[in-house]
Amino acid sequence: MELFFEIILFLLEIFGELILQLIFELICDFISRGVVNTLYWENVLKKRENKPINPIIATIWYFVFGAIAGGLSILLLPNLLIKLHWLSIANILFTPIIAGCCMLGLGVFRSKIGNEKILLNTFFYGFCFALAMALVRFFFCS
């Protein structure tokens, strides 16, 4: 029975960081969607054309926003959920890939139901956000 609880705690350590990053990405998605809608309607009302966002600026924006989310997550959970050092390093490598795939899936889903897809709903920008958050949590968690 004790081994069962150890296995459960081990899985919670691994998936806890992923779930935390996905929650913050969904919050960022919600905020970004509100900002995009506000800017869109402001442009419609003023009869201005929507210009595409520069990809370099968008990459920096989502990386900074991910770092901010990482800092906020440290306020909520000041310790890394993953205790083993090698798993923490693996978290930096694999969690952003999984989070990017999840955001891509969310973007595909939103496109199918007719919602507008924002940049965070792509693999690359979801990956950038999650990578920044994972790095901040890795370097600044006690």
Side-chain angles (χ1 to χ4, degrees), residues 111-125:
S111 293
K112 284 184 179 181
I113 63 172
N115 287 353
E116 185 177 346
K117 191 168 96 170
I118 63 170
L119 290 177
L120 187 59
N121 295 142
T122 62
F123 174 82
F124 180 72
Y125 294 113

Side-chain angles (χ1 to χ4, degrees), residues 1 32 55 68 111:
M1 191 68 154
S32 296
I68 292 169
S111 293

Side-chain angles (χ1 to χ4, degrees), residues 2-94:
E2 190 172 312
L3 178 63
F4 176 73
F5 287 119
E6 289 294 323
I7 292 171
I8 296 295
L9 287 176
F10 178 74
L11 291 174
L12 283 175
E13 285 180 10
I14 293 173
F15 292 112
E17 288 287 333
L18 175 63
I19 291 168
L20 182 68
Q21 289 186 8
L22 288 175
I23 289 170
F24 273 91
E25 283 200 42
L26 289 174
I27 291 169
C28 178
D29 179 67
F30 180 73
I31 292 170
S32 296
R33 194 164 298 283
V35 169
V36 166
N37 285 338
T38 302
L39 293 176
Y40 172 77
W41 286 111
E42 180 180 313
N43 287 340
V44 167
L45 292 174
K46 293 182 180 178
K47 295 182 176 32
R48 287 188 290 186
E49 186 178 317
N50 284 332
K51 296 178 184 174
I53 297 172
N54 184 336
I56 295 171
I57 293 172
T59 302
I60 293 169
W61 167 253
Y62 282 118
F63 203 86
V64 168
F65 209 38
I68 292 169
L72 291 174
S73 73
I74 291 173
L75 294 175
L76 296 173
L77 294 168
N79 297 318
L80 278 176
L81 298 175
I82 299 174
K83 303 296 183 222
L84 299 174
H85 183 70
W86 69 273
L87 277 177
S88 297
I89 293 171
N91 177 57
I92 294 172
L93 299 174
F94 295 113

Side-chain angles (χ1 to χ4, degrees), residues 122-134:
T122 62
F123 174 82
F124 180 72
Y125 294 113
F127 175 84
C128 289
F129 182 95
L131 178 64
M133 186 173 171

